[in-house]
Amino acid sequence: MPRDAAFKPSACPHDCPATCALEVEILPDNRVGRFRGASDNDYTAGVLCAKVGRYADRVHHPDRLMTPLRRTGPKGSGQFTPISWDDALDEIATRFKDITATHGAEAIWPYYYAGTMGQVQRDGINRLRHALGYSDQKRTICTALPRAGWLAGTGFERGTHPQEMLTSEVIVIWGGNPVATHVHIAGLMSKARKQNGAKIVVIDPYRSPTAALADVHLPLLPGTDGALACAVMHVAFRDGRADRAYLAAHTKDYAALEAQVADKTPVWAAAITGLTVPQIEDFAALYTRTQKTYLAVGYGFTRVRNGTLNMHSVVCLPAVTGAWQVPGGGAFWSYGGTLYKLDKNLIDGTPLRRAGVRMMDMSRIGAALTGHLTGDRSELKDGPPVMALLIQNTNPMVVAPNTGLVAQGFAREDLFTVVHEQFMTDTALMADIVLPATMFVEHDDLYTAGGHGHLQVGMRLIDPPGECRSNHAVINALGQRLGVGGLPGFDLSAREILDQTLRASGYPDLETFAAQRWVDCTPASDEGRFGAGFGTPDKKFHFAPDWSTVGIDNPGLPRLPDHWDNIAQRDAEHPFKLIAPPARQFLNSSFSDVGASRVREGKPRLLIHPDTATANGIVEGDSVTIGNAQGAVTLTAGLRDGMNPALLVAEGLWRNSDFPEGLGINTLISDDSPAPAGGAVFHDTAVWMRPHTLV
């Protein structure tokens, strides 16, 4: 069937593993209409999440930022006046030069993340950083914990391709909620059950929308996944279902593993996880009786202090049973950037990088901004205080842990903050200069994916509205004013950088690539399942990894799979564990500012087990306050069974103004940096709870 000429190809830029191939309807008067998934892409297959299906409302929303703004009132007041682009860029450059002269270049911190996953518009900020010696950023907030655990065992960011689950007999969704966060996995899961009779198991602390669809839901306590994995391995060895031939040929330290789990019985695990012994025994039997078991491994269960060890412990399972050997068996977390073999030197300016420049943890931005005041110099090290921020693609006033400390840092009058944004977010409200940003249909970019192997381009489809400029344009304009405009990349358009990057990486030129829309880099089935060997030096799966290869080897971090009891503990004062998973209609803080997604979610809610609510005199719809030493947050009670009575669940990242206290749920989240590589512990919090009237 001929393609509808009114629809133009693109790719979704948001921080989701699906990275959907899109078709966007182009309307008169520089407008877009319908967004739909590309039916001829074998992964997207015409399916698109509801959030992006409504994207035209976001592109043409009346609240979009349209002109540069300078702050005229107190920080956070929302008092700004429009200025010209030249005035804004000149002021930024002047302030950056003055700060560098007074405090040194490391006093300036370019700060970014994944508001767009486009390679040019996301990572170009690093070219400015490296060219001028500004402080570096440790990118921990999303993938540091799971990546370290996966790589410690396998050595490669690859695995059994998700589409192979259509041949699986058992599918385990471990620590994820794809109905809300990865619709294509949810679709494949449902097809496998319908076509192949696959049994679906969801391991998640609460009955998420995905768990509600499962044949088996195991609502373990957060931070105890390693104990469950060890018990399953115990049963595999105990009942003769470990594949000893595979273990001998393809793994290292399997004898030590068998000894390690010898006493990790289901009884032991039940006491830790909150599951019953029959639940653990039944799951272990289901998992180990066939090699055609597919582990769809999520991010959520790793966002705890022992998350890296939990990931490694879970990924040991298919090596014990030999499930890697068969199509439909094994595990998958994410494809890493190395799959695409991109030469990004021109994009991110790696050749310009200076030795010895300070690197600060993005998840600890509060500590970084306040360290010179509090005496906690763990991020500042022996360098200067942070005197300026340049922020693109993220909203740390909402998404970063320990919001109270983050807000304290942003409120500093001596901190010069520049935010390049699409809407007046909580972070933009704290800025001195706000710059209006383009959306993905208004600029050119290149997209890798985590959930599949397609490399895609998304070219500009309409002109930017008002005075909006792309991230790339702003970085280049600042580079010119700061004296590095002659360095590679700063004098090129986004299309020119894309063309040169593709050519340098062995791909077709941009014109050819854009015509074909994507290149499928997916490994062959056997290669994805490590048939030619794992990515470790000896090509074997490592049950006892050298943690120093993926981070810092903390002496307390167990060498073999285990339950590492370093997580936040419940006590008499804080009897509940809190997790803060994504809301179905939001994506981090994106979509929570404006539009139908916000209307559909309603208001910030706290999900409470009915027995817990009754014991605390709480009914559906009550205002309840939860808190710990970091602060308190008030939400609306919603009753939900299918979870441990000691668990509380707050879905979604809402605006700080949506809470009576003026700060959101991450106020309660610690900014601890876990071993071995750091990461944000969004699901590792102990709290008290009271009816709001009693606070």
Side-chain angles (χ1 to χ4, degrees):
M1 173 181 285
R3 186 180 304 281
D4 189 333
F7 283 83
K8 301 298 181 184
S10 189
C12 181
H14 283 285
D15 190 8
C16 164
T19 314
C20 291
L22 301 180
E23 294 173 351
V24 180
E25 184 182 26
I26 307 302
L27 302 176
D29 301 321
N30 200 50
R31 297 180 66 84
V32 292
R34 290 169 291 170
F35 284 65
R36 66 191 187 192
S39 58
D40 54 343
N41 181 283
D42 64 0
Y43 192 79
T44 302
V47 176
L48 188 63
C49 74
K51 296 184 287 287
V52 178
R54 301 187 291 266
Y55 214 85
D57 293 342
R58 185 173 176 82
V59 174
H60 301 302
H61 198 282
D63 290 341
R64 274 193 72 176
L65 293 169
M66 292 292 186
T67 188
L69 303 171
R70 178 190 289 123
R71 178 171 65 92
T72 56
K75 289 196 172 187
S77 66
Q79 297 175 36
F80 295 92
T81 189
I83 56 174
S84 71
W85 266 103
D86 281 340
D87 285 348
L89 293 168
D90 288 346
E91 182 171 340
I92 296 166
T94 298
R95 292 292 297 271
F96 280 14
K97 288 176 181 178
D98 290 346
I99 289 169
T100 298
T102 303
H103 299 278
E106 288 184 336
I108 299 171
W109 195 17
Y111 188 96
Y112 77 109
Y113 204 57
T116 176
M117 294 292 280
Q119 299 292 304
V120 172
Q121 308 295 345
R122 181 189 66 190
D123 295 342
I125 193 172
N126 289 315
R127 183 167 11 98
L128 188 72
R129 180 199 315 278
H130 298 326
L132 290 158
Y134 296 156
S135 281
D136 211 339
Q137 176 182 314
K138 189 177 182 183
R139 296 179 289 278
T140 57
I141 203 163
C142 181
T143 61
L145 284 158
R147 175 180 284 124
W150 182 277
L151 291 177
T154 68
F156 279 145
E157 284 181 88
R158 64 181 58 170
T160 308
H161 193 276
Q163 288 174 319
E164 287 195 34
M165 74 172 64
L166 294 175
T167 65
S168 302
E169 295 176 13
V170 177
I171 298 170
V172 182
I173 311 295
W174 199 312
N177 180 17
V179 166
T181 62
H182 193 171
V183 294
H184 298 85
I185 291 291
L188 290 168
M189 174 187 81
S190 298
K191 287 180 183 177
R193 177 158 55 188
K194 182 177 181 180
Q195 298 175 8
N196 198 41
K199 294 292 184 183
I200 309 299
V201 180
V202 173
I203 300 172
D204 195 297
Y206 79 117
R207 186 171 291 154
S208 67
T210 306
L213 300 176
D215 299 297
V216 178
H217 172 217
L218 298 178
L220 77 179
L221 286 166
T224 66
D225 303 80
L228 178 58
C230 285
V232 175
M233 289 185 277
H234 170 91
V235 171
F237 285 112
R238 182 196 72 188
D239 295 352
R241 298 195 190 106
D243 189 329
R244 294 190 177 277
Y246 186 85
L247 287 166
H250 300 288
T251 73
K252 182 180 180 182
D253 295 315
Y254 64 92
L257 173 71
E258 184 173 5
Q260 168 77 357
V261 301
D263 62 351
K264 303 295 189 290
T265 65
V267 173
W268 168 84
I272 296 169
T273 62
L275 301 173
T276 67
V277 172
Q279 283 177 308
I280 296 172
E281 288 278 9
D282 290 348
F283 170 60
L286 180 66
Y287 182 85
T288 60
R289 281 176 178 160
T290 176
Q291 290 184 327
K292 294 179 76 66
T293 54
Y294 189 100
L295 281 176
V297 185
Y299 293 71
F301 78 102
T302 71
R303 288 175 175 155
V304 288
R305 289 169 176 83
N306 58 7
T308 290
L309 181 68
N310 289 344
M311 170 64 91
H312 176 256
S313 299
V314 168
V315 179
C316 288
L317 291 171
V320 170
T321 64
W324 290 115
Q325 299 171 96
V326 297
F332 183 77
W333 169 59
S334 178
Y335 286 127
T338 56
L339 176 71
Y340 302 96
K341 298 180 173 61
L342 286 176
D343 181 341
K344 292 179 60 176
N345 285 335
L346 197 58
I347 292 174
D348 60 22
T350 297
L352 306 174
R353 192 173 198 160
R354 305 181 187 188
V357 172
R358 174 177 67 186
M359 179 177 288
M360 295 183 290
D361 187 339
M362 68 176 301
S363 298
R364 305 195 72 243
I365 183 173
L369 296 182
T370 62
H372 65 297
L373 303 174
T374 65
D376 175 9
R377 297 189 63 87
S378 53
E379 294 305 322
L380 297 177
K381 303 178 177 64
D382 60 354
V386 177
M387 302 302 297
L389 289 167
L390 172 62
I391 298 176
Q392 292 183 323
N393 302 324
T394 190
N395 183 14
M397 275 289 295
V398 171
V399 305
N402 200 350
T403 308
L405 191 63
V406 176
Q408 181 182 336
F410 271 94
R412 285 172 40 207
E413 281 297 332
D414 63 342
L415 176 69
F416 178 64
T417 301
V418 180
V419 176
H420 189 196
E421 253 296 355
Q422 298 161 351
F423 294 96
M424 187 58 75
T425 64
D426 288 272
T427 303
L429 280 170
M430 302 301 288
D432 297 283
I433 299 288
V434 178
L435 305 174
T438 52
M439 294 189 183
F440 74 100
V441 292
E442 300 155 3
H443 57 235
D444 306 308
D445 220 329
L446 177 70
Y447 302 94
T448 61
H452 57 81
H454 293 99
L455 180 67
Q456 304 176 75
V457 292
M459 308 309 292
R460 189 172 81 175
L461 301 179
I462 60 174
D463 294 330
E467 298 181 54
C468 294
R469 294 189 185 181
S470 72
N471 292 349
H472 175 74
V474 169
I475 295 304
N476 278 11
L478 286 175
Q480 296 291 338
R481 285 168 169 79
L482 290 166
V484 295
L487 294 177
F490 287 101
D491 58 349
L492 298 176
S493 68
R495 290 195 176 212
E496 289 169 330
I497 281 194
L498 287 173
D499 184 70
Q500 293 187 35
T501 296
L502 288 168
R503 292 171 184 264
S505 306
Y507 292 104
D509 63 86
L510 179 59
E511 183 178 358
T512 303
F513 199 110
Q516 64 189 57
R517 302 180 62 190
W518 54 73
V519 169
D520 190 354
C521 305
T522 307
S525 173
D526 184 64
E527 182 184 358
R529 290 182 284 103
F530 303 103
F534 291 89
T536 54
D538 59 7
K539 303 295 184 184
K540 294 185 176 184
F541 183 92
H542 286 195
F543 291 119
D546 177 359
W547 293 113
S548 68
T549 63
V550 292
I552 298 172
D553 193 0
N554 184 302
L557 181 56
R559 185 66 65 188
L560 287 156
D562 205 342
H563 170 63
W564 188 18
D565 195 18
N566 66 333
I567 55 179
Q569 299 295 324
R570 294 185 295 123
D571 56 28
E573 188 176 351
H574 305 91
F576 302 103
K577 293 298 290 285
L578 170 71
I579 62 174
R584 186 167 186 171
Q585 302 296 334
F586 298 164
L587 203 168
N588 300 320
S589 69
S590 296
F591 302 97
S592 66
D593 283 316
V594 295
S597 293
R598 183 177 172 85
V599 172
R600 283 172 168 80
E601 286 296 333
K603 65 179 69 173
R605 293 197 307 154
L606 184 71
L607 304 182
I608 309 168
H609 192 281
D611 293 346
T612 301
T614 298
N616 286 272
I618 295 168
V619 299
E620 181 89 22
D622 277 357
S623 290
V624 291
T625 302
I626 56 176
N628 56 24
Q630 293 185 185
V633 176
T634 299
L635 309 92
T636 300
L639 273 54
R640 176 82 64 88
D641 59 7
M643 62 187 190
N644 192 294
L647 182 70
L648 304 173
V649 181
E651 293 180 319
L653 288 173
W654 295 79
R655 296 204 67 147
N656 289 326
S657 58
D658 291 321
F659 299 85
E661 297 81 5
L663 294 175
I665 196 65
N666 283 348
T667 301
L668 309 180
I669 307 301
S670 169
D671 61 358
D672 281 359
S673 180
V681 294
F682 293 117
H683 308 319
D684 193 1
T685 307
V687 297
W688 50 259
M689 177 181 66
R690 298 163 196 156
H692 185 55
T693 55
L694 300 180
V695 175

